Amino acid sequence: MKKVLIIDDEKDFCFFVKKGLEKVGKFSVAVCSNAKESFKEITRFQPDLILLDILMPEINGSQLAIELKKNKETQNIPFIFVTALISYDEIEKAGLNPHDHKILTKPVRLSELVTVINSAIS
Amino acid sequence: MPVKILIIDDEKDHAFLTKTILEQVDNNYQADFVSDSREGLKKAIEERPHVILCDYRMPDLTGLDVLRELRKAEIDIPFIVVTASGSEKVAVDFMKEGAYDYVVKDVAYGETLQAVIEKSLDKYRMKKDKERLETEVSEAYSKLKETQKELIQSEKLAALGTFSSGIAHEVKNPLAVILGGIEFLELTLSNASGDTKMAMTKIKEATLRADSIIQGLLKFAKPSEAEFTLLKPEDIINETLALMKYRCPLKNIEIKTEFDQDIGINADKNQIQQVLFNILMNAVESMPQGGTITITTGTWINDQNTGQSSCFIKIKDTGQGISQDMLPKLFEPFFTTKRDKKGTGLGLSIAKTILDNHNGNLLIESKISKGTEVRIILPLTRKNKE
Ligand SMILES: Nc1ncnc2c1ncn2[C@@H]1O[C@H](COP(=O)(O)OP(=O)(O)OP(=O)(O)O)[C@@H](O)[C@H]1O
Ligand SMILES: [Mg+2]
């Protein structure tokens, strides 16, 4: 079973997405609502893919993505941004080149999420 | 410049005398006389003298009739009535009807004449100056109002831009929770009753609609910086049509295109695609029973002197049309007649904002139950003939 880790500070969103992905996508899903603990969680859970929010308190998603890329253990884990930011300049302001990444905007349909995850890990 | 004076007087001798006096007192005066009042009126209308000296008692048209006819024709020429001495009451009647002044046929006639004429000419000039000033002031005022309105609008938009990207983020997060929650319920309540399922569908639709309002609002209030490249309109149109067919099946809708192949425009591809998409979707939505959409491109020269030209993209549908009283509201954000069908009322506002940023325009003509014609106007960059 493929493993998906959701890193997002919006706990309710994480809960529903987890349930949906488990049921429809048949993934094994873990949630991390505190970005600071995400590395611990990645090491423990060993996900095949990470869903990453961009605007979070403490550490934002773009910083986290840079850290993931730096670290040997995590650099090959694909990640998808799932964010409420919608304009490119805001995404750039958060420190990312929007053309380099897969970015889904909230609210996102479960079916779309499943399709995108499957194509990213296959 | 000579001052042309028309004398209307049925007494030829007196008329001639007046002419002689006038030409003596000022060699700038060019006097002409007519003894038939009807002919005098005709001459006044055709030749527009600077001053009219008119006798008051004449057969056929009296002096007062001549004055009234001129007023009726809205011709403002300083009109001086010549009265017999002792008939000041007549003079008053004339002044009431708009005569500039009067002069009495008496011993001092020769001397007063020039003064009266000059006074009337001054009065005329002052009146014209005042009128011109008034129109200038009122034009300046309406321009000021217009500018003020634009200023308020642009300030509002700037504030709206910052504000809306802020709230977009704050609203989209809870929307994501609601959509997630509903989809979760759909999964867990798969055996629910028809009503429950319908309720879930409605909530889901409303959530997605709220989301598209937020997105539309941002596009409208904070349009992204345009990236201009040289484009061929038919390429963008074809791409947009492909995108549309992918998004929704075009049932019973025939699309005809007629492209002027040689046009190049300087525009932002994504934004123009957005404009086309919004307009084409409106056309499709206006024809639920099917119909024809005709897309034509072409050019015209706006200004013969500079040779400055425009390109147009005309999108015509055979749909239900728009009533005349709605036409002025179409570009207002959130104006929609499709609230029940998830319309946000932002489609045309966004299109208009984008085209304004391209120095273009959006024109709409429509006839109820005949159809609608939307014209996108953009500055023409290149027209190849090879
Ligand atoms: N081609 C058309 N035929 C008939 N009515 C039209 C047409 N285009 C626009 N309208 C009218 O203008 C209104 C505003 O259009 P606009 O595209 O701005 O918003 P909308 O279509 O209602 O919503 P949205 O674009 O978000 O779906 C529509 O609701 C409709 O009444
Ligand atoms: Mg529309």
Side-chain angles (χ1 to χ4, degrees):
Chain A
M1 213 195 289
K2 296 282 184 189
K3 293 190 280 184
V4 176
L5 175 65
I6 306 170
I7 303 174
D8 195 316
D9 61 317
E10 182 77 59
K11 289 201 180 89
D12 294 340
F13 176 75
C14 295
F15 172 78
F16 290 130
V17 171
K18 174 176 155 63
K19 293 288 176 197
L21 290 180
E22 284 169 353
K23 193 146 185 169
V24 174
K26 309 276 181 259
F27 302 114
S28 156
V29 184
V31 166
C32 173
S33 301
N34 184 343
K36 270 184 169 168
E37 284 168 15
S38 52
F39 270 90
K40 226 189 323 174
E41 191 57 27
I42 292 167
T43 319
R44 185 194 68 79
F45 187 59
Q46 297 287 319
D48 296 296
L49 179 134
I50 298 170
L51 294 181
L52 195 49
D53 188 13
I54 296 181
L55 284 191
M56 291 181 289
E58 296 163 342
I59 306 178
N60 85 32
S62 55
Q63 287 169 293
L64 205 59
I66 294 165
E67 295 297 320
L68 286 173
K69 281 285 164 207
K70 272 200 226 153
N71 192 316
K72 265 213 195 72
E73 268 178 58
T74 55
Q75 66 187 194
N76 292 321
I77 307 175
F79 55 86
I80 296 168
F81 288 108
V82 182
T83 174
L85 296 178
I86 66 171
S87 73
Y88 276 8
D89 53 323
E90 285 175 73
I91 291 171
E92 275 164 8
K93 237 191 278 164
L96 291 172
N97 182 344
H99 302 284
D100 293 349
H101 303 279
K102 183 77 204 161
I103 299 173
L104 295 176
T105 35
K106 286 181 190 173
V108 57
R109 279 197 184 87
L110 182 59
S111 54
E112 188 184 358
L113 201 52
V114 171
T115 312
V116 173
I117 294 174
N118 278 327
S119 78
I121 52 182
S122 66
Chain B
M1 211 181 73
V3 178
K4 286 194 284 173
I5 303 169
L6 177 65
I7 304 158
I8 306 174
D9 194 337
D10 61 320
E11 282 172 57
K12 273 208 183 95
D13 293 344
H14 190 259
F16 186 72
L17 175 72
T18 311
K19 177 177 156 72
T20 318
I21 295 171
L22 285 173
E23 288 177 348
Q24 267 171 9
V25 292
D26 193 326
N27 54 17
N28 223 3
Y29 290 164
Q30 245 176 40
D32 206 353
F33 68 85
V34 183
S35 53
D36 180 85
S37 56
R38 203 167 279 279
E39 207 178 293
L41 176 65
K42 197 168 149 243
K43 204 171 163 76
I45 293 173
E46 280 165 8
E47 294 178 12
R48 304 293 166 106
H50 298 113
V51 180
I52 297 171
L53 272 176
C54 187
D55 195 16
Y56 85 98
R57 193 183 293 149
M58 288 183 291
D60 195 2
L61 294 183
T62 66
L64 207 53
D65 293 332
V66 174
L67 177 59
R68 284 186 183 137
E69 287 300 318
L70 287 170
R71 300 226 72 187
K72 223 197 277 169
E74 288 181 4
I75 294 172
D76 185 17
I77 298 171
F79 187 101
I80 300 165
V81 59
V82 184
T83 64
S85 68
S87 45
E88 271 71 16
K89 167 151 183 335
V90 173
V92 173
D93 288 345
F94 271 83
M95 300 295 279
K96 270 192 204 144
E97 291 285 336
Y100 274 57
D101 212 341
Y102 69 96
V103 56
V104 185
K105 262 190 229 176
D106 59 11
V107 274
Y109 181 59
E111 287 133 54
T112 39
L113 208 46
Q114 188 187 18
V116 170
I117 289 174
E118 288 305 320
K119 211 172 91 192
S120 296
L121 282 171
D122 281 344
K123 195 168 150 192
Y124 177 77
R125 283 186 211 110
M126 264 157 66
K127 201 164 132 189
K128 288 295 145 191
D129 280 348
K130 189 171 156 241
E131 277 171 17
R132 201 173 45 241
L133 254 140
E134 274 169 2
T135 44
E136 270 171 22
V137 168
S138 89
E139 274 168 18
Y141 181 73
S142 54
K143 211 164 155 195
L144 195 70
K145 275 274 165 217
E146 194 61 32
T147 320
Q148 189 190 29
K149 221 166 95 188
E150 278 169 19
L151 207 66
I152 292 173
Q153 186 72 5
S154 68
E155 265 179 15
K156 257 193 202 157
L157 281 185
L160 189 64
T162 339
F163 180 65
S164 42
S165 47
I167 57 166
H169 185 256
E170 297 314 309
V171 173
K172 279 165 102 34
N173 271 317
L175 284 181
V177 177
I178 298 173
L179 184 64
I182 280 297
E183 293 195 311
F184 169 74
L185 287 178
E186 280 178 340
L187 289 173
T188 44
L189 297 177
S190 51
N191 297 325
S193 72
D195 277 356
T196 310
K197 279 191 171 151
M198 190 194 63
M200 290 190 291
T201 311
K202 293 280 172 213
I203 297 172
K204 191 166 166 177
E205 282 174 3
T207 311
L208 294 172
R209 181 163 143 222
D211 181 46
S212 60
I213 290 174
I214 296 278
Q215 281 184 42
L217 178 67
L218 270 190
K219 277 188 197 132
F220 171 70
K222 206 175 172 229
S224 52
E225 198 70 36
E227 280 176 39
F228 289 87
T229 50
L230 191 65
L231 304 167
K232 290 181 70 141
E234 69 258 35
D235 293 344
I236 329 174
I237 293 169
N238 285 328
E239 279 177 41
T240 313
L241 287 172
L243 183 73
M244 270 179 52
K245 285 175 191 155
Y246 166 76
R247 291 254 187 109
C248 65
L250 302 179
K251 251 191 285 161
N252 301 325
I253 289 178
E254 190 191 353
I255 295 181
K256 289 188 193 159
T257 55
E258 215 173 284
F259 296 138
D260 179 337
Q261 305 284 344
D262 311 313
I263 310 173
I265 52 169
N266 224 346
D268 181 298
K269 192 175 159 205
N270 287 330
Q271 294 189 4
I272 297 302
Q273 212 164 43
Q274 172 91 61
V275 170
L276 288 166
F277 187 82
N278 292 1
I279 294 168
L280 286 165
M281 282 311 287
N282 283 345
V284 171
E285 286 157 3
S286 79
M287 304 186 289
Q289 320 294 357
T292 309
I293 298 178
T294 314
I295 308 171
T296 324
T297 65
T299 60
W300 78 78
I301 299 174
N302 311 18
D303 189 332
Q304 286 290 352
N305 297 326
T306 61
Q308 203 228 340
S309 302
S310 286
C311 148
F312 67 81
I313 303 172
K314 201 164 76 182
I315 297 169
K316 210 175 137 191
D317 64 55
T318 55
Q320 65 212 14
I322 306 165
S323 71
Q324 291 300 310
D325 53 322
M326 258 162 51
L327 283 177
K329 297 194 191 138
L330 298 182
F331 300 143
E332 280 174 19
F334 306 114
F335 175 77
T336 179
T337 54
K338 305 174 199 162
R339 210 167 292 286
D340 55 334
K341 298 183 205 96
K342 301 195 198 79
T344 64
L346 286 168
L348 289 176
S349 326
I350 292 169
K352 180 81 167 82
T353 315
I354 291 176
L355 290 171
D356 282 347
N357 290 341
H358 279 77
N359 283 325
N361 205 352
L362 190 60
L363 306 173
I364 302 180
E365 279 170 35
S366 190
K367 258 213 173 84
I368 281 285
S369 66
K370 282 269 187 313
T372 302
E373 184 178 303
V374 181
R375 249 178 307 155
I376 299 169
I377 317 275
L378 285 163
L380 184 69
T381 309
R382 198 178 64 188
K383 177 133 178 95
N384 289 336
K385 264 294 150 217
E386 52 271 23

